[in-house]
Amino acid sequence: MAEAHLIETIIGIGILLFAAKLMAELFLRLKLPIVLGELLAGMIVGPFALGAFFVVDGRQLLQINDEIRILGEMGAIVILFMAGLEMTPKEFLKGGKASFTVGSLGVIVPFFAGLVVFQMFGFDALQSMLIATALTATSIAISIQVLSEFGKIKTPEARLIIGAAVVDDILAIAVLSVVSSIAGSGGGVEDIEISQVVITILQVLGFFAIMLIVAVVIIPKIITPRLWKAKGSVEGIATASFFGAAALAGSIGLSPIVGAFAVGMALSTTKVFEKVENYIGKVGLIFAPLFFAIIGAQVDLRAVDLNVLMLSGVVIVVAVVTKLFGCGLPAILFLKNKQQGMRVGIGMISRGEVGLIVAGVGVTAGILTSEVYSTIIIMVAVTTIITPLWLKMEYRKEQKSNTGATEQSIEQKPE
């Protein structure tokens, strides 16, 4: 029986990875975000879509069992370790006030707007809280992709987007910790004490600060080429460290991804940075597509009807407007430039991992119906499509106006 289970898991991983890469190729040629292709691949071959037709011995060929889900969660840890490597602690602190303000408002505005709007739509408080939580976190990977494509990764707005997205993620994870502990305890919203919520959020921030300090001080001393000479030792110890930190974060009741992110940040300034980045990039080639495909595979498109589409429309509008205002307006004040500030707002629209993780938590705890789960996934997918296209349009406009201005100044030069 155990062997049959193992074979089922292996087949599932094979199908999902193959489908994810096929769609990645298609999306690359269509100049669309590859991540989105991988998400869609999971939806298409998943057990609720095409997967339902492939039946062997009365069982579906592709089953999303617990092992595959765990692999998906490991994928999220790897993705956040990679994101941590992209940001040095100095850069993180330098963004200071601006990042903190933009990031905080990017969580507060969507959360409370979501809470109010969905309760008006007749959802109970706990469901509304989960949907509101899914609206909080920004998926930074997609915006970074667009910014580097246009060579804008060092601009003030890019630095602010990255800094704010990190703060945004930490706070969103704090909110997620609160909401999932309520969801897990089976209590209702009436059991929430504000003091408990504040304590949890402070715990997350405090834990992140301690973890970061410890990681920055200790990790470079442990992971050094002086100590580890055998082939693959540095990579192995780095992997053990970020999984260890993720486990530590998880055991304190935080999201494991916070731990992985902190270790990534600690390694971003060390001698082994290039070695680790090169290696984890290759690991990410397998884990990232798997993560997105597994998430897509859990979407039950049979639950999509007019009701779900209308609800999705509302969720998407709330998702876009709250980030544009919550992040864009304070960014305009800090950067003293309307265009750059708006780009920060646009860059923060795309929701990603945390939104999908929230949806997963809600569905596993039995709080979210498959309708609401599908709605959150649709919102994540649509905001993921909107963000890169909108950012590209913004930068194209800038390129056009720059070339226009140069041509004009050439014409105006006296003969």
Side-chain angles (χ1 to χ4, degrees):
M1 195 56 222
E3 199 163 284
H5 199 67
L6 172 69
I7 292 167
E8 178 188 287
T9 307
I10 297 169
I11 290 173
I13 292 166
I15 294 173
L16 286 166
L17 202 51
F18 185 70
K21 286 291 123 199
L22 268 183
M23 287 297 274
E25 286 297 319
L26 176 66
F27 273 58
L28 179 72
R29 286 166 176 73
L30 294 173
K31 293 192 168 54
L32 286 167
I34 290 176
V35 174
L36 205 67
E38 293 165 347
L39 194 70
L40 274 174
M43 286 167 131
I44 294 167
V45 299
F48 301 116
L50 287 183
F53 301 109
F54 295 106
V55 180
V56 180
D57 290 341
R59 283 176 70 80
Q60 278 185 14
L61 198 57
L62 177 63
Q63 304 259 354
I64 302 297
N65 58 22
D66 289 346
E67 286 75 8
I68 290 182
R69 281 199 188 91
I70 289 168
L71 265 174
E73 281 163 31
M74 284 167 74
I77 293 170
V78 170
I79 291 168
L80 266 107
F81 173 67
M82 289 161 75
L85 283 174
E86 293 299 313
M87 183 116 185
T88 66
K90 209 185 241 157
E91 282 173 347
F92 182 61
L93 295 172
K94 208 170 87 184
K97 205 165 64 176
S99 298
F100 191 75
T101 311
V102 175
S104 304
L105 286 171
V107 169
I108 294 164
V109 176
F111 184 77
F112 285 105
L115 202 54
V116 171
V117 171
F118 299 113
Q119 282 188 305
M120 276 164 42
F121 272 84
F123 286 97
D124 67 41
L126 194 54
Q127 281 194 335
S128 303
M129 266 175 81
L130 270 168
I131 305 173
T133 308
L135 291 175
T136 55
T138 296
S139 170
I140 185 63
I142 291 147
S143 302
I144 288 179
Q145 220 66 48
V146 178
L147 290 163
S148 38
E149 233 174 87
F150 279 88
K152 299 283 184 188
I153 204 80
K154 298 284 182 211
T155 56
E157 69 261 36
R159 294 217 162 275
L160 184 51
I161 288 175
I162 295 171
V166 172
V167 173
D168 187 310
D169 259 1
I170 296 165
L171 287 174
I173 288 162
V175 175
L176 175 59
S177 301
V178 175
V179 175
S180 52
S181 64
I182 295 164
S185 68
V189 175
E190 57 281 351
D191 302 340
I192 305 171
E193 290 170 22
I194 294 297
S195 56
Q196 268 314 104
V197 175
V198 174
I199 290 168
T200 308
I201 290 177
L202 289 176
Q203 269 174 341
V204 174
L205 294 175
F207 172 73
F208 185 74
I210 294 165
M211 198 159 209
L212 202 54
I213 294 162
V214 171
V216 170
V217 173
I218 293 176
I219 297 274
K221 288 192 175 68
I222 299 174
I223 304 173
T224 156
R226 270 207 330 274
L227 280 177
W228 309 99
K229 301 239 189 301
K231 192 179 176 191
S233 288
V234 167
E235 293 89 337
I237 298 299
T239 310
S241 302
F242 76 76
F243 274 130
L248 193 66
S251 59
I252 305 180
L254 299 176
S255 170
I257 55 184
V258 184
F261 183 84
V263 173
M265 227 151 122
L267 283 175
S268 63
T269 51
T270 56
K271 291 196 180 86
V272 296
F273 168 71
E274 275 178 22
K275 202 175 197 178
V276 172
E277 188 185 39
N278 191 6
Y279 147 77
I280 203 68
K282 292 189 170 56
V283 175
L285 291 178
I286 304 300
F287 271 110
L290 253 185
F291 169 69
F292 292 113
I294 289 167
I295 278 168
Q298 294 179 61
V299 181
D300 187 352
L301 289 172
R302 296 171 307 184
V304 176
D305 52 19
L306 196 60
N307 205 0
V308 170
L309 288 177
M310 277 165 59
L311 186 63
S312 302
V314 176
V315 177
I316 290 162
V317 170
V318 174
V320 172
V321 172
T322 51
K323 285 286 183 186
L324 266 186
F325 285 103
C327 300
L329 290 179
I332 291 173
L333 295 174
F334 280 110
L335 296 172
K336 300 185 174 47
N337 178 319
K338 194 174 166 196
Q339 251 183 334
Q340 289 181 338
M342 279 313 285
R343 279 182 207 142
V344 172
I346 297 165
M348 301 284 281
I349 286 174
S350 118
R351 306 303 200 280
E353 304 79 50
V354 177
L356 299 171
I357 291 165
V358 172
V361 167
V363 117
T364 331
I367 297 160
L368 294 182
T369 58
S370 61
E371 281 191 354
V372 180
Y373 179 69
S374 305
T375 301
I376 294 177
I377 302 287
I378 292 170
M379 179 272 295
V380 171
V382 172
T383 54
T384 306
I385 299 170
I386 294 172
T387 305
L389 298 179
W390 198 347
L391 265 182
K392 274 182 184 171
M393 272 162 44
E394 278 290 309
Y395 281 119
R396 292 247 162 82
K397 253 188 343 206
E398 184 186 54
Q399 280 175 347
K400 272 193 191 139
S401 64
N402 283 354
T403 43
T406 355
E407 280 165 15
Q408 224 174 0
S409 62
I410 291 167
E411 279 170 23
Q412 283 170 356
K413 274 187 182 166
E415 293 297 322

